[in-house]
Amino acid sequence: MFFDDPYQHFFRPLTGKYREQVVECLRLLYERLYTAKADYGESLGREQILEIFSEALTRAPQLDGDDRGEAGTPGNHASATTREHRFRNLREQAGWTLNSLLEAGWLEKQVDSATLTATYPFSRRGRLFTQPLVEVNSARVRTRHRNTRNTLNALEAFAARGEIHDLIDAWEYSERIVADFTDMIAELEERKRELVREVEAQLLVQQATDEFFSFMESRFQPDLAIRLSADSVEKHRDAIGRVIARIRRKDRERKAEWERRLRQLLPEFVEEGRSLLWLMLDTIEDRMRRACEVKLPALRRALQGFTKRADIIIRQLSYINSQAEGQFADLSQQLGERDDRDKLLGSLGDQLGGFQLRLFDPKQTQLWQRQRREPVNTRVEEAVELGEDNRRDILLQQMLDQAFNFNSADLRDYLARALRGGRRVHSSELPLETARDLLAMSHALEAAAVSQGGGPAVTVEFTGETASNDYFAAYDEYYLELKESD
């Protein structure tokens, strides 16, 4: 079952007036974890999650006056609805968002047993459902037209090397071929409806023409044209069929070994009396047949319907706009047929004698469309005075940070005092008079690196032995020695 613990109310954070802000938090966190902006060597803790959510909350708008999502849900949701009404600052709202996603199962809390630090990665279901939310508004390039070639390349690699994962990849790529055709047909139908709505609302020939040619340049040429020519399923269907036939002709021992490997990797598809290898090969052939005989003609019909609808709309709008010029032509013809046209033109010339008409050159005139600015949601937050406990916690945290703050300048001063009596000193002879000296000794191995930034150069020479004292149970023995200056 899907809606079981801890996913009983999985979609509840996406309801209510804060749903757009929660979606923006999920998108930004997904980008930080799984896209090019991610640092895969870093685990995000609570403070980093709250910073990411605070940034997302400033971007997304709040849908005021819409609490339908909380009204009808069962369980202990009344208190949650009360908590959603007011937040003193963005950090408090970010904390509430994090807790809501943890309770619903979008995120997980993982605690390191060694350091007792908590991280908050996506759950498996949360990551899978967040991915389409990210791709809806994504502007990145998707090479969807390469799935046919990917299927052929994976099958050829499997036939040449016998690696079973290449066959599984070809099987998955062939499934995406039909899905991509379906997406493209749906997009063409949506474009056609949008074109009709815009024309009904504005009746602008230039805008309708620009929308049509913009689609042809941005979507037809880079994707549809390749799908109908270079990556046509009809073009690669015979090649894929030949590779599948070559795989079927392999010796029985190799096909038996492939069958065993497939049954180990895909146990959920195993059925008594049915070969998984034959099932995959037959499925790929059937998908190619359906793509060629069903989806490709449907795509061509959809594209033809879109271009035909655009042509009809542009022709109708051009005819409507040309009717005004037709009236002027009719008046001119009626004036030319009258016998007293010279008298009428003479009187008209006397009336317009003092009138001067100047026309702009259309080639030198450009119509600028007014740019629509996105509304900015600004909120003024009242400053809340910190309590006595909060001030004491902040002061203690600052004192702890200063106590363990140790920089390269402090280390250079410590080494200068240690080497004051000569140019070489043993690690056991390093002075330990204060707590700062203890910290400096623990960072003494950084002496060679610190000395490169300026001042006398220091080398570190290990003796290969270990020692201990009152503060360290064991540490390596070494010599610190000043280099000769050039």
Side-chain angles (χ1 to χ4, degrees), residues 169-198:
D169 291 340
W171 188 46
E172 293 180 353
Y173 285 134
S174 64
E175 182 180 5
R176 298 174 191 173
I177 294 174
V178 180
D180 290 344
F181 274 114
T182 304
D183 293 342
M184 186 57 65
I185 293 172
E187 182 178 356
L188 284 172
E189 295 296 332
E190 183 179 359
R191 288 278 183 175
K192 184 167 63 176
R193 291 192 295 268
E194 289 180 358
L195 183 62
V196 174
R197 285 197 300 267
E198 292 176 357

Short mmCIF file of all heavy atoms in Angstrom, two decimals, residues 169-198:
data_model
loop_
_atom_site.label_atom_id
_atom_site.label_comp_id
_atom_site.label_asym_id
_atom_site.label_seq_id
_atom_site.Cartn_x
_atom_site.Cartn_y
_atom_site.Cartn_z
N ASP A 169 19.33 -1.85 -20.49
CA ASP A 169 19.28 -0.44 -20.92
C ASP A 169 18.51 -0.29 -22.23
O ASP A 169 17.70 0.64 -22.38
CB ASP A 169 20.71 0.10 -21.10
CG ASP A 169 21.43 0.23 -19.77
OD1 ASP A 169 20.75 0.28 -18.73
OD2 ASP A 169 22.68 0.27 -19.77
N ALA A 170 18.74 -1.18 -23.18
CA ALA A 170 17.99 -1.11 -24.44
C ALA A 170 16.51 -1.29 -24.21
O ALA A 170 15.67 -0.64 -24.85
CB ALA A 170 18.53 -2.18 -25.40
N TRP A 171 16.15 -2.16 -23.30
CA TRP A 171 14.74 -2.39 -22.97
C TRP A 171 14.10 -1.12 -22.39
O TRP A 171 12.97 -0.76 -22.74
CB TRP A 171 14.66 -3.55 -21.98
CG TRP A 171 13.29 -4.04 -21.69
CD1 TRP A 171 12.31 -4.29 -22.60
CD2 TRP A 171 12.73 -4.34 -20.41
NE1 TRP A 171 11.17 -4.73 -21.97
CE2 TRP A 171 11.42 -4.78 -20.61
CE3 TRP A 171 13.24 -4.30 -19.12
CZ2 TRP A 171 10.59 -5.15 -19.57
CZ3 TRP A 171 12.42 -4.67 -18.07
CH2 TRP A 171 11.10 -5.09 -18.29
N GLU A 172 14.83 -0.42 -21.52
CA GLU A 172 14.30 0.81 -20.92
C GLU A 172 14.23 1.94 -21.95
O GLU A 172 13.27 2.71 -21.98
CB GLU A 172 15.16 1.21 -19.73
CG GLU A 172 15.07 0.26 -18.55
CD GLU A 172 15.95 0.69 -17.39
OE1 GLU A 172 16.70 1.67 -17.57
OE2 GLU A 172 15.86 0.06 -16.32
N TYR A 173 15.26 2.05 -22.79
CA TYR A 173 15.24 3.09 -23.82
C TYR A 173 14.08 2.90 -24.79
O TYR A 173 13.45 3.87 -25.22
CB TYR A 173 16.56 3.08 -24.60
CG TYR A 173 17.73 3.68 -23.85
CD1 TYR A 173 18.97 3.03 -23.82
CD2 TYR A 173 17.62 4.89 -23.19
CE1 TYR A 173 20.04 3.56 -23.14
CE2 TYR A 173 18.69 5.44 -22.50
CZ TYR A 173 19.91 4.76 -22.47
OH TYR A 173 20.96 5.29 -21.80
N SER A 174 13.78 1.66 -25.14
CA SER A 174 12.67 1.41 -26.06
C SER A 174 11.34 1.81 -25.45
O SER A 174 10.42 2.24 -26.17
CB SER A 174 12.65 -0.08 -26.45
OG SER A 174 12.38 -0.90 -25.32
N GLU A 175 11.21 1.71 -24.15
CA GLU A 175 9.97 2.16 -23.49
C GLU A 175 9.81 3.67 -23.58
O GLU A 175 8.70 4.18 -23.73
CB GLU A 175 9.97 1.70 -22.04
CG GLU A 175 8.71 2.06 -21.27
CD GLU A 175 8.76 1.60 -19.83
OE1 GLU A 175 9.82 1.08 -19.41
OE2 GLU A 175 7.74 1.76 -19.12
N ARG A 176 10.94 4.39 -23.51
CA ARG A 176 10.86 5.86 -23.56
C ARG A 176 10.52 6.36 -24.96
O ARG A 176 10.07 7.51 -25.10
CB ARG A 176 12.19 6.45 -23.12
CG ARG A 176 12.57 6.11 -21.67
CD ARG A 176 13.95 6.61 -21.33
NE ARG A 176 14.42 6.07 -20.06
CZ ARG A 176 15.65 6.24 -19.59
NH1 ARG A 176 16.53 6.95 -20.29
NH2 ARG A 176 16.01 5.72 -18.43
N ILE A 177 10.77 5.57 -25.99
CA ILE A 177 10.45 6.02 -27.36
C ILE A 177 8.96 6.31 -27.48
O ILE A 177 8.56 7.39 -27.95
CB ILE A 177 10.89 4.94 -28.37
CG1 ILE A 177 12.41 4.79 -28.37
CG2 ILE A 177 10.41 5.30 -29.77
CD1 ILE A 177 12.90 3.65 -29.23
N VAL A 178 8.11 5.37 -27.06
CA VAL A 178 6.66 5.56 -27.15
C VAL A 178 6.22 6.70 -26.23
O VAL A 178 5.35 7.51 -26.60
CB VAL A 178 5.94 4.25 -26.80
CG1 VAL A 178 4.44 4.42 -26.88
CG2 VAL A 178 6.39 3.12 -27.72
N ALA A 179 6.80 6.79 -25.03
CA ALA A 179 6.42 7.86 -24.11
C ALA A 179 6.77 9.23 -24.68
O ALA A 179 6.01 10.19 -24.52
CB ALA A 179 7.11 7.64 -22.77
N ASP A 180 7.92 9.34 -25.37
CA ASP A 180 8.30 10.63 -25.95
C ASP A 180 7.34 11.03 -27.07
O ASP A 180 7.01 12.22 -27.21
CB ASP A 180 9.73 10.56 -26.48
CG ASP A 180 10.75 10.47 -25.35
OD1 ASP A 180 10.38 10.78 -24.21
OD2 ASP A 180 11.90 10.09 -25.62
N PHE A 181 6.91 10.07 -27.88
CA PHE A 181 5.93 10.39 -28.92
C PHE A 181 4.63 10.89 -28.30
O PHE A 181 4.03 11.86 -28.78
CB PHE A 181 5.66 9.14 -29.77
CG PHE A 181 6.63 8.96 -30.90
CD1 PHE A 181 7.49 7.88 -30.92
CD2 PHE A 181 6.69 9.87 -31.93
CE1 PHE A 181 8.39 7.71 -31.96
CE2 PHE A 181 7.58 9.71 -32.99
CZ PHE A 181 8.43 8.62 -32.99
N THR A 182 4.20 10.25 -27.23
CA THR A 182 2.96 10.67 -26.57
C THR A 182 3.08 12.08 -26.01
O THR A 182 2.16 12.91 -26.14
CB THR A 182 2.62 9.69 -25.44
OG1 THR A 182 2.54 8.36 -25.97
CG2 THR A 182 1.29 10.05 -24.79
N ASP A 183 4.23 12.40 -25.39
CA ASP A 183 4.45 13.75 -24.85
C ASP A 183 4.44 14.79 -25.97
O ASP A 183 3.87 15.88 -25.81
CB ASP A 183 5.77 13.81 -24.10
CG ASP A 183 5.75 12.97 -22.84
OD1 ASP A 183 4.64 12.65 -22.37
OD2 ASP A 183 6.83 12.64 -22.32
N MET A 184 5.06 14.49 -27.08
CA MET A 184 5.12 15.45 -28.18
C MET A 184 3.75 15.68 -28.79
O MET A 184 3.39 16.81 -29.13
CB MET A 184 6.10 14.97 -29.24
CG MET A 184 6.35 15.96 -30.35
SD MET A 184 6.96 17.55 -29.75
CE MET A 184 8.54 17.03 -29.07
N ILE A 185 2.95 14.63 -28.94
CA ILE A 185 1.59 14.80 -29.48
C ILE A 185 0.74 15.65 -28.54
O ILE A 185 0.01 16.55 -28.97
CB ILE A 185 0.95 13.41 -29.70
CG1 ILE A 185 1.68 12.66 -30.82
CG2 ILE A 185 -0.53 13.55 -30.04
CD1 ILE A 185 1.24 11.21 -30.97
N ALA A 186 0.87 15.40 -27.22
CA ALA A 186 0.12 16.21 -26.25
C ALA A 186 0.57 17.66 -26.29
O ALA A 186 -0.25 18.58 -26.15
CB ALA A 186 0.31 15.62 -24.85
N GLU A 187 1.86 17.89 -26.48
CA GLU A 187 2.36 19.27 -26.55
C GLU A 187 1.82 19.99 -27.78
O GLU A 187 1.47 21.18 -27.72
CB GLU A 187 3.88 19.27 -26.57
CG GLU A 187 4.48 20.67 -26.58
CD GLU A 187 5.99 20.67 -26.55
OE1 GLU A 187 6.58 19.58 -26.44
OE2 GLU A 187 6.57 21.76 -26.64
N LEU A 188 1.76 19.30 -28.91
CA LEU A 188 1.21 19.92 -30.12
C LEU A 188 -0.26 20.28 -29.94
O LEU A 188 -0.70 21.36 -30.37
CB LEU A 188 1.38 18.98 -31.31
CG LEU A 188 2.79 18.87 -31.91
CD1 LEU A 188 2.84 17.76 -32.94
CD2 LEU A 188 3.23 20.19 -32.51
N GLU A 189 -1.04 19.39 -29.32
CA GLU A 189 -2.45 19.70 -29.08
C GLU A 189 -2.60 20.89 -28.14
O GLU A 189 -3.46 21.76 -28.34
CB GLU A 189 -3.15 18.47 -28.50
CG GLU A 189 -3.22 17.29 -29.44
CD GLU A 189 -4.06 17.59 -30.68
OE1 GLU A 189 -4.98 18.43 -30.57
OE2 GLU A 189 -3.81 16.99 -31.73
N GLU A 190 -1.74 20.97 -27.12
CA GLU A 190 -1.81 22.10 -26.19
C GLU A 190 -1.42 23.40 -26.89
O GLU A 190 -2.03 24.45 -26.65
CB GLU A 190 -0.89 21.83 -25.00
CG GLU A 190 -0.95 22.91 -23.93
CD GLU A 190 -0.04 22.60 -22.76
OE1 GLU A 190 0.61 21.52 -22.77
OE2 GLU A 190 0.03 23.42 -21.84
N ARG A 191 -0.41 23.35 -27.75
CA ARG A 191 -0.01 24.54 -28.50
C ARG A 191 -1.15 25.02 -29.40
O ARG A 191 -1.38 26.24 -29.54
CB ARG A 191 1.22 24.21 -29.35
CG ARG A 191 2.49 24.04 -28.56
CD ARG A 191 3.13 25.37 -28.26
NE ARG A 191 4.39 25.21 -27.56
CZ ARG A 191 5.21 26.21 -27.27
NH1 ARG A 191 4.89 27.44 -27.61
NH2 ARG A 191 6.33 25.99 -26.63
N LYS A 192 -1.85 24.08 -30.00
CA LYS A 192 -2.96 24.46 -30.88
C LYS A 192 -4.07 25.15 -30.08
O LYS A 192 -4.63 26.17 -30.53
CB LYS A 192 -3.48 23.22 -31.58
CG LYS A 192 -4.57 23.49 -32.59
CD LYS A 192 -4.81 22.28 -33.48
CE LYS A 192 -5.31 21.10 -32.68
NZ LYS A 192 -5.64 19.95 -33.55
N ARG A 193 -4.39 24.62 -28.91
CA ARG A 193 -5.42 25.26 -28.07
C ARG A 193 -4.97 26.64 -27.59
O ARG A 193 -5.78 27.58 -27.55
CB ARG A 193 -5.75 24.36 -26.90
CG ARG A 193 -6.49 23.08 -27.28
CD ARG A 193 -7.04 22.38 -26.07
NE ARG A 193 -5.96 21.91 -25.20
CZ ARG A 193 -5.42 20.69 -25.27
NH1 ARG A 193 -5.85 19.82 -26.17
NH2 ARG A 193 -4.46 20.33 -24.45
N GLU A 194 -3.69 26.77 -27.21
CA GLU A 194 -3.19 28.08 -26.76
C GLU A 194 -3.26 29.10 -27.88
O GLU A 194 -3.57 30.28 -27.66
CB GLU A 194 -1.77 27.93 -26.24
CG GLU A 194 -1.65 27.20 -24.93
CD GLU A 194 -0.22 27.07 -24.47
OE1 GLU A 194 0.68 27.53 -25.23
OE2 GLU A 194 0.02 26.53 -23.38
N LEU A 195 -2.93 28.68 -29.10
CA LEU A 195 -2.98 29.60 -30.24
C LEU A 195 -4.40 30.10 -30.47
O LEU A 195 -4.62 31.30 -30.70
CB LEU A 195 -2.45 28.90 -31.48
CG LEU A 195 -2.36 29.72 -32.76
CD1 LEU A 195 -1.40 30.88 -32.58
CD2 LEU A 195 -1.93 28.85 -33.92
N VAL A 196 -5.38 29.21 -30.37
CA VAL A 196 -6.77 29.62 -30.55
C VAL A 196 -7.21 30.57 -29.45
O VAL A 196 -7.87 31.59 -29.71
CB VAL A 196 -7.68 28.37 -30.60
CG1 VAL A 196 -9.15 28.77 -30.64
CG2 VAL A 196 -7.33 27.50 -31.80
N ARG A 197 -6.83 30.28 -28.19
CA ARG A 197 -7.22 31.16 -27.08
C ARG A 197 -6.62 32.55 -27.23
O ARG A 197 -7.28 33.57 -26.98
CB ARG A 197 -6.79 30.53 -25.75
CG ARG A 197 -7.66 29.36 -25.31
CD ARG A 197 -7.44 29.08 -23.84
NE ARG A 197 -6.05 28.73 -23.57
CZ ARG A 197 -5.57 27.49 -23.55
NH1 ARG A 197 -6.38 26.48 -23.80
NH2 ARG A 197 -4.30 27.26 -23.29
N GLU A 198 -5.35 32.64 -27.62
CA GLU A 198 -4.71 33.95 -27.76
C GLU A 198 -5.35 34.76 -28.89
O GLU A 198 -5.53 35.98 -28.76
CB GLU A 198 -3.22 33.76 -28.01
CG GLU A 198 -2.46 33.22 -26.81
CD GLU A 198 -1.01 32.96 -27.13
OE1 GLU A 198 -0.63 33.15 -28.31
OE2 GLU A 198 -0.26 32.56 -26.22
#
